[in-house]
Amino acid sequence: MGGTARREIEVVVVAPPRALLLDIAGPMEVLRKANLTQTAVRFVPRYVGAAARLSTSIGLDVAGLAPLPDRVAAGAFVLVSGSADEPMGERRDAAGEARQEAEIVDWLARVVRPGVRLMTICSGALLAARAGLFEDVECTTHHACVEALRRLAPGARVRDNRLFVEDGERLSSAGITAGIDLMLHVVAQEAGHATALAVARYLVVYLRRAGADPQLSPWLEGRNHMHPAVHRAQDAVAADPARAWPLAELARVAGASPRNLSRLFSEHAGMGVADYANRMRVALAREMIAGSRLDMEHVAERAGFASARQLRRAWGRLHETPPSALRRPG
């Protein structure tokens, strides 16, 4: 038998009444494309609900939902979609929908245990909060639901103005399309940055990071903004960090003048263009040091540095320990 078995990650998608369709379709499109882009990891979806059929935010019915399972395997994700207060068309059974929401809340409280990773999209955070799953946890939700989340989870550290928040096994995103950002982050963690970048390009979106969380990938440094010109330049550098990137060339990629791109980088990415390029080269070097036996001179050359000494200087500005520490046993 040849090759390595593909690792499978189950994603249990919970569709509440009046589900915001984009909360489900956006993140799951990320996983669909991730499955097609690489062979190391396969995301396996399972769509469940308190009823086999429900009406969504746009008035389109979704059928064939499986019942809420008795248990969820360790290592799986439970993704809870948001719902629309005012969907297209008439609400058919408000009392019945309230009962279904209560059933989902009770189910979440039972099955989300250590080892199961909870992911809420938009107002799905409110169902998790009702289940007591955000106490003493940092989290976020759609800006229109922030105060409701604070009321439902008084012990939570609710963050506003954040694309998404990761706190251990609790992941939460802001409004609607931020679910795509969150799922790209998950793909970067599970299948690698290159896969996440390829998926983002296919979906014509940008990789953006969530605030100042130090545990996020260095590849996502300076990405918590929405300026398209800066994202275009960042995508180009991240796709080929070892290449020399003169400011004039990056400005052409970004569709801005060199002077304006420098200003935009400082304003939106919080760093200069050269600093960003060096951070990407250090990130590339880190992967080579951890994943190969190349000596430092060859690592430096392949990462775009003139010498190992230049790599160590750039490394020292970002890390307290030297690059050689990644290879020390124990």
Side-chain angles (χ1 to χ4, degrees), residues 29 31 53 83 104 134 141 150 163 210 222 229 274 286 288 297 303:
E29 269 299 312
L31 298 188
R53 186 184 187 97
S83 57
I104 291 171
F134 279 152
T141 186
R150 288 183 171 131
L163 287 168
R286 184 182 180 89
M288 286 190 280
E297 286 293 343

Short mmCIF file of all heavy atoms in Angstrom, two decimals, residues 29 31 53 83 104 134 141 150 163 210 222 229 274 286 288 297 303:
data_model
loop_
_atom_site.label_atom_id
_atom_site.label_comp_id
_atom_site.label_asym_id
_atom_site.label_seq_id
_atom_site.Cartn_x
_atom_site.Cartn_y
_atom_site.Cartn_z
N GLU A 29 -18.37 26.29 1.12
CA GLU A 29 -17.67 26.42 -0.16
C GLU A 29 -16.16 26.46 0.06
O GLU A 29 -15.39 25.92 -0.75
CB GLU A 29 -18.12 27.67 -0.91
CG GLU A 29 -19.28 27.48 -1.85
CD GLU A 29 -18.99 26.49 -2.96
OE1 GLU A 29 -17.92 26.57 -3.62
OE2 GLU A 29 -19.82 25.59 -3.17
N LEU A 31 -14.58 24.84 2.38
CA LEU A 31 -14.16 23.46 2.62
C LEU A 31 -14.25 22.61 1.35
O LEU A 31 -13.41 21.73 1.12
CB LEU A 31 -15.01 22.84 3.72
CG LEU A 31 -14.91 23.50 5.10
CD1 LEU A 31 -15.64 22.68 6.14
CD2 LEU A 31 -13.45 23.70 5.51
N ARG A 53 -36.72 19.57 7.49
CA ARG A 53 -36.93 20.60 6.48
C ARG A 53 -37.11 21.94 7.18
O ARG A 53 -37.78 22.01 8.22
CB ARG A 53 -38.17 20.27 5.65
CG ARG A 53 -38.42 21.19 4.45
CD ARG A 53 -39.72 20.84 3.76
NE ARG A 53 -39.90 21.59 2.52
CZ ARG A 53 -39.60 21.12 1.31
NH1 ARG A 53 -39.13 19.89 1.18
NH2 ARG A 53 -39.77 21.87 0.23
N SER A 83 -29.33 33.03 12.07
CA SER A 83 -30.68 33.01 11.50
C SER A 83 -31.16 34.44 11.31
O SER A 83 -30.67 35.37 11.95
CB SER A 83 -31.64 32.24 12.41
OG SER A 83 -31.67 32.79 13.71
N ILE A 104 -32.17 22.78 19.76
CA ILE A 104 -30.77 22.93 19.36
C ILE A 104 -29.91 23.37 20.54
O ILE A 104 -28.80 22.86 20.75
CB ILE A 104 -30.65 23.93 18.19
CG1 ILE A 104 -31.26 23.32 16.92
CG2 ILE A 104 -29.19 24.33 17.94
CD1 ILE A 104 -31.38 24.30 15.77
N PHE A 134 -20.23 29.82 26.13
CA PHE A 134 -19.32 30.95 25.98
C PHE A 134 -18.93 31.57 27.32
O PHE A 134 -18.33 32.65 27.34
CB PHE A 134 -19.94 32.02 25.07
CG PHE A 134 -19.79 31.74 23.60
CD1 PHE A 134 -20.71 32.22 22.69
CD2 PHE A 134 -18.72 31.02 23.12
CE1 PHE A 134 -20.57 31.97 21.34
CE2 PHE A 134 -18.57 30.75 21.78
CZ PHE A 134 -19.50 31.22 20.88
N THR A 141 -19.68 38.21 17.53
CA THR A 141 -20.87 37.92 16.74
C THR A 141 -21.15 39.12 15.83
O THR A 141 -20.38 40.09 15.82
CB THR A 141 -22.08 37.62 17.65
OG1 THR A 141 -23.20 37.20 16.84
CG2 THR A 141 -22.49 38.84 18.46
N ARG A 150 -23.87 39.65 25.03
CA ARG A 150 -23.40 40.01 26.39
C ARG A 150 -24.46 39.70 27.45
O ARG A 150 -24.13 39.28 28.56
CB ARG A 150 -23.03 41.49 26.42
CG ARG A 150 -21.73 41.80 25.67
CD ARG A 150 -21.34 43.26 25.78
NE ARG A 150 -19.99 43.46 25.24
CZ ARG A 150 -19.68 44.40 24.36
NH1 ARG A 150 -20.60 45.25 23.93
NH2 ARG A 150 -18.44 44.49 23.91
N LEU A 163 -13.36 40.36 13.03
CA LEU A 163 -13.82 39.44 12.00
C LEU A 163 -14.17 38.09 12.61
O LEU A 163 -15.22 37.51 12.32
CB LEU A 163 -12.75 39.25 10.93
CG LEU A 163 -12.51 40.40 9.97
CD1 LEU A 163 -11.23 40.16 9.19
CD2 LEU A 163 -13.69 40.55 9.02
N ALA A 210 -7.61 37.85 12.46
CA ALA A 210 -8.55 38.35 13.46
C ALA A 210 -7.82 39.07 14.57
O ALA A 210 -7.38 38.47 15.54
CB ALA A 210 -9.38 37.19 14.05
N GLY A 222 -0.88 41.32 9.60
CA GLY A 222 -1.26 42.56 8.93
C GLY A 222 -2.41 42.41 7.96
O GLY A 222 -2.54 43.21 7.03
N ALA A 229 -6.29 47.14 -2.45
CA ALA A 229 -4.97 47.35 -3.03
C ALA A 229 -3.88 46.73 -2.15
O ALA A 229 -2.96 46.08 -2.65
CB ALA A 229 -4.71 48.84 -3.24
N ALA A 274 8.43 46.85 3.10
CA ALA A 274 9.63 46.03 3.28
C ALA A 274 9.52 45.15 4.51
O ALA A 274 9.95 43.99 4.51
CB ALA A 274 10.87 46.92 3.35
N ARG A 286 11.02 29.73 8.48
CA ARG A 286 10.61 28.94 9.64
C ARG A 286 10.07 27.58 9.20
O ARG A 286 10.37 26.56 9.81
CB ARG A 286 9.55 29.72 10.43
CG ARG A 286 9.11 29.03 11.71
CD ARG A 286 8.02 29.82 12.41
NE ARG A 286 7.62 29.14 13.63
CZ ARG A 286 8.17 29.32 14.82
NH1 ARG A 286 9.17 30.17 14.94
NH2 ARG A 286 7.75 28.65 15.87
N MET A 288 10.83 25.96 6.48
CA MET A 288 11.93 25.13 5.96
C MET A 288 12.79 24.60 7.09
O MET A 288 13.24 23.45 7.06
CB MET A 288 12.76 25.93 4.97
CG MET A 288 12.07 26.11 3.62
SD MET A 288 13.17 26.79 2.36
CE MET A 288 13.12 28.53 2.79
N GLU A 297 22.42 28.44 5.53
CA GLU A 297 22.74 29.17 4.32
C GLU A 297 21.75 28.85 3.20
O GLU A 297 21.28 29.73 2.49
CB GLU A 297 24.18 28.86 3.87
CG GLU A 297 25.25 29.51 4.73
CD GLU A 297 25.28 31.03 4.62
OE1 GLU A 297 24.69 31.59 3.67
OE2 GLU A 297 25.88 31.66 5.51
N ALA A 303 14.73 31.30 1.05
CA ALA A 303 13.72 32.20 1.60
C ALA A 303 13.87 33.63 1.10
O ALA A 303 13.06 34.50 1.45
CB ALA A 303 13.77 32.18 3.13
#
